[in-house]
Amino acid sequence: MPRVEFESLPADARVWIFAAERQLMVAEQNRLLVEVDSFIAQWGAHDAPLIAGRDLRYEQFLFVAVDQKAVGPSGCSIDALVRQIKLLEQDLDIEFVNHAPIMFRQGDEIYRVSRTTFSDLIESENVSLETVVFDNTVTRLGDVRDGKWELRARESWHGDAFFKVFQS
């Protein structure tokens, strides 16, 4: 089944967020989207096509979502998606499948740092509870649309995980 427009997927669609280690150049974006579209066109679970779409945001975040009402993704189909993204990592020489780094925004700049570096930035007061972070663990498309993906650290798990140590 050909992919559907990402915006047409329902709020309860399952979403995966793959964050590139840096912003992609135009040629890399085009290559990524062509390959993902090709994958989605043949993607299925238990011999049934998945209704899926994709989106690329800030030239760095790849979203792939599936309408679970029609046919839900299986463990094998999810594994196939991750394998495809890992192949693209190798082809493009850009890491996508690593949820350990913290990604945050300061102004128009998006940063990707280790958890240790993020803690150091908190301690040096270069980031705060008001810093906009990206929660790439979100799994429901409606949560992305409702602002639970890109939000202030105080409103995400980042606030509890990183700032409690620095609060009196």
Side-chain angles (χ1 to χ4, degrees):
M1 162 173 262
R3 74 175 178 87
V4 298
E5 289 302 315
F6 192 78
E7 297 77 24
S8 73
L9 291 165
D12 63 349
R14 171 71 164 89
V15 68
W16 292 267
I17 304 168
F18 300 96
E21 62 189 274
R22 62 169 174 74
Q23 286 188 329
L24 304 174
M25 295 180 288
V26 172
E28 294 168 327
Q29 292 174 45
N30 292 337
R31 171 82 188 279
L32 173 71
L33 296 176
V34 164
E35 294 293 330
V36 171
D37 287 349
S38 177
F39 174 80
I40 287 173
Q42 58 77 43
W43 195 23
H46 305 294
D47 296 324
L50 294 172
I51 298 173
R54 55 81 178 152
D55 193 20
L56 183 65
R57 297 190 182 177
Y58 303 125
E59 301 166 351
Q60 192 163 2
F61 298 93
L62 173 66
F63 290 73
V64 177
V66 173
D67 182 351
Q68 301 181 100
K69 290 178 187 165
V71 176
S74 65
C76 292
S77 64
I78 295 167
D79 288 348
L81 171 63
V82 173
R83 270 193 312 275
Q84 180 64 37
I85 301 303
K86 285 184 176 185
L87 286 172
L88 286 166
E89 277 185 333
Q90 293 172 1
D91 289 348
L92 296 171
D93 195 29
I94 299 170
E95 186 175 67
F96 286 96
V97 186
N98 182 355
H99 294 299
I102 302 299
M103 299 192 73
F104 65 98
R105 169 195 298 286
Q106 288 185 327
D108 290 335
E109 289 291 317
I110 295 172
Y111 297 90
R112 181 182 189 256
V113 298
S114 70
R115 291 169 185 249
T116 300
T117 299
F118 192 72
S119 292
D120 292 344
L121 291 169
I122 293 167
E123 189 170 5
S124 65
E125 299 181 0
N126 287 307
V127 297
S128 72
L129 285 166
E130 299 306 312
T131 299
V132 174
V133 295
F134 296 94
D135 183 356
N136 296 322
T137 66
V138 170
T139 60
R140 195 177 154 277
L141 187 54
D143 289 339
V144 173
R145 291 176 178 154
D146 293 341
K148 295 178 183 170
W149 168 63
E150 182 179 0
L151 66 169
R152 289 180 292 177
R154 79 169 57 258
E155 300 164 343
S156 78
W157 63 266
H158 299 79
D160 290 335
F162 290 99
F163 288 89
K164 280 191 175 185
V165 171
F166 298 100
Q167 296 171 347
S168 49

